[in-house]
Amino acid sequence: MSIYDTLNNQQKEAVFYTEGPLLILAGAGSGKTRVLTHRIAYLIEECGVNPWNILAITFTNKAAGEMRERVDKIVGFGSDSVWVSTFHSTCVRILRRYIDRLGYDTNFTIYDTDDSKSVMKDVLRSLDLDPKVHKEKAYLGAVSKAKDELISPEEYLLNAGADYKKQLVGKAYMEYQKALKKNNALDFDDLIVKTVELFRTHADVLDYYQDRFRYIMVDEYQDTNTAQFQFVSLLARKYENLCVVGDDDQSIYKFRGANIANILNFEKVFPEAKVIKLEQNYRSTGNILCAANAVIANNIGRKDKRLWTEEDDGDGIYFRQFYNAYEEAEYVAEQIRKSVRQSDSQYKDHAILYRTNAQSRIYEEQFIRDNIPYRLIGGVNFYARKEIKDLLSYLKTIDNGVDDLAVRRIINVPKRGIGLTTLDKVQRFANEHDMSFFEVLEHADGITELGRSAAKLKNFALLIQSFRAKAEELSLTELMEDILEVTGYRKELEAEGTDEADARLENIDELISKIASFEENCVDEPATLSGFLEEVALVADIDNLEEEDNRVILMTIHSAKGLEFPYVYLGGMEDGIFPGYMSITAENPREEIEEERRLCYVAIPRAMKKLTITAARARMIRGENQFNPISRFVKEIPSYYLEKGCTVKKEKTEEEPKTQNYWERKKTFREKPKAVQQFAVTKATNLDYCEGDRVRHMKFGVGTVLAITEGGRDYEVSVDFDNFGVKKMFASFAKLQKVSS
């Protein structure tokens, strides 16, 4: 029996179509990774393609690792020559070889987000811009968007015209790139941009890689931005054996620069392209898929497709509405405990998905009270912790001495008696003489302006030089241990003797384990310091999700993409939360809400067996109770797919429990939650306004009454406020006053 006999007809067609452009529209759980790996196998084993000529691009290190593992299993000799990596990793490898053509040294540093923030902060300071008004994060966001669209600083300034804000961004962008160039550094966006620039300006380099990669496959094509599209298009231009796999219905990264037009217009760019749809789902039950199909069918900007399965319909979608977010969290915690207690499920089989990170707080507090183990995905990244950034800066300085940022971070860590005044003198001298920060340190004993501090600065430079000499002889693990020993970094933490210091020491031990693991995995090529720093720079938080970790997973829907869980809880399903208020009130609400609907479509089939959707009538936001209707996405699911329970549990209004700090919450770990304060609601006997009247609210100002609905406890009033849009509120709380017309 052939390995291809296990594929369905559409999957076989996608595998066997090898020549010319191919668009594979792969729905959630349709086996796209299986298709890609079998396609690689078919090219090598049946078509006689040299593995050297195959490139497969993914978006995450985890996906690349999984694909590599699968290819190795089904392909015999030569599979290790197939180039399987992320966009960024692919570009790094190309730039390491040819970036000198663009005026950089091949030993460049890759800056992470924090590094980029520090550079931009210095740039804004040099432009005399008030940091309280001009935030580096906003400027970096604008620069990143420009790079996604391949807009250079010069072009940005030209397009700014008379727009003062854009002019400032353009100037900052220009200076930011100069600073990166001076430090021989690239940020993440530059990895793609510089590779495209290299291809466009050096035909011989492009020609080499076009011949090298005659067969190109790109996963998650719907998430590509303009720069990534150009990179792929340039590579594929010669042979046009480009296979892209994606799902326009799962395009959810517009905020990161993803351009859905790349997949929607693929056939316009490649008129000869063949289109194959993978619609059979192997993950979820029939009812879950029907619910997903029903929601996404409301989008206009999409390619027609419909998920189906040969599996049973399974349970209906459980929908529960509660009075407030606390009851919602209580219910979810209770259901998880019951599931683990009464069935063979484990905590790790359950995932709670939500629209924004802020929604995790209530679940966390509830789980702490109920002693339910959980893991929050999207917290502080391991590599963003102080001690880790310190030690990585030592490694960066040893590897690339012109990285001013890394040098400045560690020059006085641990304390060496080098103050800010001295550092400013060094920086000033470096700027005036067009030298790197470290070059000034190397010649400090000959610079009179540095005075008595010169000796300390020179000693630090000698320390780094000694580490560089040792790096030639020692393994990376031994080098890290030597840094910790010689600098006294570890001893200083041990002497501190606090819980915080112990936690930092544990993190350092974990870093050493990471280094050792990296060295262990480098079988076919040497474990270099540059290679390790590249891997660290390219690691995503979600890549660290351990399958054997038996904890409930809390994460945003964006983080959950590509994952699956037997039991999924989709919380906060209210208009104003999901879809968000900003999408509803946007200048182009249809486009924004379609993006939100795609996100909902991504969330639903994360569930394999059971999906529970929850909502709250009242939710505390920015210190105020807001009353939002059930999400329109829930209403788009036909009622016969829903199993509804009771909505409001209690006929009373509750205040939010007082916020506890972490240690207070720890005390209540095994305690029953305290009863919250109750207050009465007095229903208004009559209202002095009616539908169509103009009314005034003490916060939202003047608006028009759209509807008045009588409930058991109070009147619910919908008002379209002039400056705040439509709000729903209870009459007794709102205290609306009629405005004379």
Side-chain angles (χ1 to χ4, degrees):
M1 181 177 168
S2 166
I3 60 169
Y4 309 108
D5 292 337
T6 60
L7 305 173
N8 65 41
N9 291 334
Q10 288 72 35
Q11 291 173 334
K12 285 179 183 177
E13 188 181 6
V15 167
F16 299 155
Y17 191 89
T18 60
E19 305 301 310
L22 172 64
L23 169 62
I24 302 174
L25 293 172
S30 62
K32 63 182 177 66
T33 305
R34 185 179 180 84
V35 168
L36 284 175
T37 52
H38 280 67
R39 196 170 189 272
I40 293 170
Y42 185 76
L43 284 168
I44 297 171
E45 296 180 338
E46 304 298 328
C47 302
V49 175
N50 189 331
W52 173 263
N53 295 134
I54 301 173
L55 170 66
I57 301 176
T58 66
F59 265 82
T60 67
N61 294 300
K62 183 180 179 184
E66 287 177 353
M67 188 176 292
R68 162 62 64 194
E69 195 175 308
R70 291 200 199 183
V71 170
D72 289 344
K73 282 182 180 178
I74 63 174
V75 179
F77 179 77
S79 66
D80 55 335
S81 298
V82 178
W83 200 337
V84 183
S85 64
T86 64
F87 270 103
H88 292 101
S89 296
T90 301
C91 290
V92 166
R93 291 175 72 175
I94 295 170
L95 293 173
R96 286 290 179 208
R97 186 171 179 180
Y98 289 109
I99 200 172
D100 56 330
R101 301 278 191 99
L102 302 178
Y104 289 78
D105 191 277
T106 54
N107 200 30
F108 58 85
T109 297
I110 303 170
Y111 276 3
D112 64 13
T113 304
D114 286 343
D115 295 332
S116 296
K117 282 182 182 177
S118 297
V119 173
M120 183 59 78
K121 195 176 286 184
D122 289 341
V123 165
L124 296 177
R125 196 180 295 118
S126 71
L127 295 173
D128 293 325
L129 297 174
D130 186 352
K132 293 179 181 178
V133 179
H134 302 273
K135 303 292 185 182
E136 70 272 6
K137 190 175 179 181
Y139 276 76
L140 282 171
V143 168
S144 182
K145 284 182 181 177
K147 289 182 178 182
D148 286 347
E149 297 298 321
L150 293 172
I151 299 171
S152 67
E154 294 79 8
E155 192 179 350
Y156 194 99
L157 274 170
L158 194 65
N159 295 338
D163 191 318
Y164 179 67
K165 288 185 178 178
K166 286 187 176 179
Q167 287 179 1
L168 287 180
V169 172
K171 290 175 183 176
Y173 183 9
M174 184 80 74
E175 294 304 312
Y176 174 75
Q177 289 304 117
K178 287 180 182 176
L180 290 181
K181 184 75 177 292
K182 184 185 174 187
N183 289 348
N184 194 40
L186 303 178
D187 63 18
F188 276 96
D189 296 317
D190 281 333
L191 297 176
I192 313 292
V193 171
K194 293 299 177 185
T195 307
V196 171
E197 183 184 337
L198 180 68
F199 284 171
R200 285 176 170 176
T201 55
H202 293 81
D204 61 322
V205 177
L206 176 60
D207 190 62
Y208 169 80
Y209 282 106
Q210 285 177 336
D211 283 330
R212 167 75 192 273
F213 302 124
R214 300 190 180 201
Y215 294 87
I216 302 167
M217 279 159 274
V218 183
D219 195 10
E220 304 289 358
Y221 191 68
Q222 77 281 346
D223 295 334
T224 55
N225 58 35
T226 300
Q228 290 162 337
F229 165 76
Q230 284 296 324
F231 168 73
V232 171
S233 297
L234 286 165
L235 268 184
R237 184 180 293 169
K238 191 170 186 177
Y239 296 99
E240 290 202 343
N241 293 326
L242 172 63
C243 169
V244 301
V245 185
D247 183 1
D248 54 297
D249 289 333
Q250 296 188 73
S251 179
I252 59 173
Y253 293 115
K254 183 183 176 183
F255 67 97
R256 290 185 189 170
N259 187 353
I260 194 173
N262 290 347
I263 191 167
L264 292 177
N265 298 333
F266 185 81
E267 296 143 277
K268 292 180 181 177
V269 179
F270 298 95
E272 302 300 316
K274 184 176 180 62
V275 180
I276 298 172
K277 298 178 183 179
L278 303 183
E279 298 172 295
Q280 185 175 356
N281 177 280
Y282 294 91
R283 175 191 298 153
S284 306
T285 62
N287 282 330
I288 290 173
L289 297 180
C290 286
N293 288 329
V295 171
I296 200 62
N298 291 276
N299 272 8
I300 299 170
R302 64 184 293 264
K303 292 180 178 290
D304 184 52
K305 66 190 111 27
R306 187 172 182 85
L307 293 176
W308 63 277
T309 182
E310 291 181 344
E311 301 298 318
D312 295 335
D313 289 342
D315 294 343
I317 312 300
Y318 290 78
F319 174 66
R320 302 290 186 270
Q321 185 188 32
F322 304 93
Y323 187 73
N324 58 32
Y326 297 95
E327 292 180 6
E328 182 184 30
E330 280 176 16
Y331 172 81
V332 171
E334 181 185 341
Q335 292 303 304
I336 292 172
R337 282 200 314 270
K338 190 183 294 182
S339 176
V340 172
R341 189 170 60 247
Q342 296 179 354
S343 70
D344 58 355
S345 72
Q346 301 181 68
Y347 286 116
K348 68 178 183 181
D349 296 330
H350 300 77
I352 299 171
L353 309 183
Y354 35 76
R355 179 65 182 86
T356 64
N357 272 309
Q359 292 169 253
S360 73
R361 178 181 68 85
I362 292 176
Y363 292 111
E364 288 188 80
E365 291 179 353
Q366 187 65 47
F367 286 1
I368 288 173
R369 282 194 286 265
D370 291 350
N371 201 18
I372 294 175
Y374 72 90
R375 181 177 181 192
L376 179 68
I377 304 298
V380 177
N381 191 293
F382 176 80
Y383 297 104
R385 295 167 190 170
K386 180 187 181 304
E387 60 279 5
I388 304 303
K389 285 192 73 72
D390 286 346
L391 295 174
L392 289 178
S393 291
Y394 269 104
L395 294 179
K396 287 178 183 178
T397 303
I398 296 165
D399 188 53
N400 176 13
V402 296
D403 183 354
D404 289 359
L405 217 61
V407 178
R408 288 186 64 126
R409 181 180 182 93
I410 59 167
I411 193 168
N412 206 36
V413 178
K415 300 286 186 192
R416 298 186 176 93
I418 302 171
L420 287 174
T421 305
T422 301
L423 296 181
D424 288 340
K425 287 180 181 178
V426 173
Q427 192 64 64
R428 200 179 308 117
F429 190 91
N431 293 340
E432 289 171 358
H433 295 82
D434 198 25
M435 298 168 69
S436 73
F437 195 93
F438 191 78
E439 282 177 325
V440 178
L441 303 183
E442 288 179 306
H443 301 90
D445 52 354
I447 302 172
T448 55
E449 293 95 318
L450 299 178
R452 296 178 183 176
S453 301
K456 295 176 183 176
L457 299 173
K458 181 70 175 180
N459 286 339
F460 175 77
L462 291 171
L463 175 69
I464 297 300
Q465 288 168 358
S466 73
F467 285 140
R468 284 178 181 168
K470 292 175 181 177
E472 299 293 327
E473 305 293 332
L474 301 176
S475 69
L476 297 182
T477 307
E478 290 168 339
L479 177 63
M480 188 77 264
E481 290 284 6
D482 193 65
I483 293 169
L484 290 165
E485 179 66 28
V486 174
T487 62
Y489 196 105
R490 177 178 274 152
K491 284 184 179 177
E492 190 174 85
L493 287 173
E494 288 172 346
E496 199 175 306
T498 63
D499 290 340
E500 185 182 352
D502 289 343
R504 289 185 176 180
L505 286 166
E506 289 173 3
N507 289 335
I508 291 170
D509 289 341
E510 185 61 26
L511 177 63
I512 293 171
S513 298
K514 169 66 182 176
I515 295 171
S517 175
F518 171 78
E519 290 185 296
E520 196 175 43
N521 292 330
C522 290
V523 180
D524 300 323
E525 53 187 12
T528 64
L529 181 53
S530 295
F532 173 72
L533 292 171
E534 281 170 23
E535 179 163 312
V536 166
L538 297 170
V539 168
D541 185 40
I542 193 63
D543 288 346
N544 297 321
L545 179 58
E546 299 290 339
E547 292 181 4
E548 64 270 21
D549 196 5
N550 190 22
R551 290 184 280 177
V552 177
I553 302 299
L554 277 70
M555 64 200 316
T556 63
I557 302 167
H558 283 101
S559 297
K561 188 171 180 291
L563 303 178
E564 58 186 42
F565 304 90
Y567 306 93
V568 169
Y569 300 85
L570 185 54
M573 291 299 287
E574 307 121 38
D575 268 14
I577 305 296
F578 191 23
Y581 177 74
M582 296 299 289
S583 299
I584 296 171
T585 58
E587 288 185 14
N588 187 355
R590 185 188 70 79
E591 187 177 309
E592 296 298 323
I593 288 174
E594 287 207 352
E595 174 93 357
E596 293 279 282
R597 187 175 283 111
R598 289 194 293 270
L599 189 59
C600 185
Y601 175 76
V602 165
I604 292 171
R606 294 313 102 200
M608 300 164 69
K609 293 182 180 179
K610 181 179 176 181
L611 172 66
T612 301
I613 297 174
T614 59
R617 287 179 63 85
R619 191 174 297 274
M620 187 70 74
I621 299 175
R622 291 181 291 277
E624 294 183 352
N625 263 318
Q626 288 191 7
F627 299 88
N628 294 317
I630 295 169
S631 171
R632 65 193 66 194
F633 303 149
V634 176
K635 295 175 182 177
E636 289 170 357
I637 301 173
S639 59
Y640 45 83
Y641 293 127
L642 295 175
E643 292 188 11
K644 299 179 182 178
C646 58
T647 54
V648 181
K649 281 172 61 178
K650 302 178 178 109
E651 291 297 317
K652 61 180 181 286
T653 305
E654 297 182 353
E655 286 184 343
E656 182 178 13
K658 290 182 179 179
T659 304
Q660 298 172 301
N661 64 35
Y662 176 77
W663 297 110
E664 287 174 332
R665 294 201 301 270
K666 290 289 279 187
K667 289 178 184 177
T668 64
F669 212 81
R670 301 180 186 275
E671 295 177 5
K672 189 176 179 180
K674 295 178 181 178
V676 294
Q677 185 182 350
Q678 301 177 17
F679 59 91
V681 177
T682 304
K683 182 178 178 179
T685 53
N686 63 333
L687 304 176
D688 62 356
Y689 51 86
C690 56
E691 293 179 9
D693 284 346
R694 299 280 286 171
V695 293
R696 184 185 303 278
H697 185 271
M698 61 185 297
K699 178 182 177 181
F700 301 122
V702 178
T704 304
V705 178
L706 300 179
I708 301 174
T709 306
E710 184 172 358
R713 292 169 297 151
D714 201 358
Y715 292 99
E716 187 176 271
V717 185
S718 295
V719 184
D720 185 3
F721 291 102
D722 296 349
N723 297 320
F724 291 89
V726 178
K727 302 282 184 184
K728 287 188 177 181
M729 55 198 73
F730 288 138
S732 55
F733 288 114
K735 296 183 170 51
L736 299 169
Q737 295 180 345
K738 186 176 178 180
V739 178
S740 335
S741 47

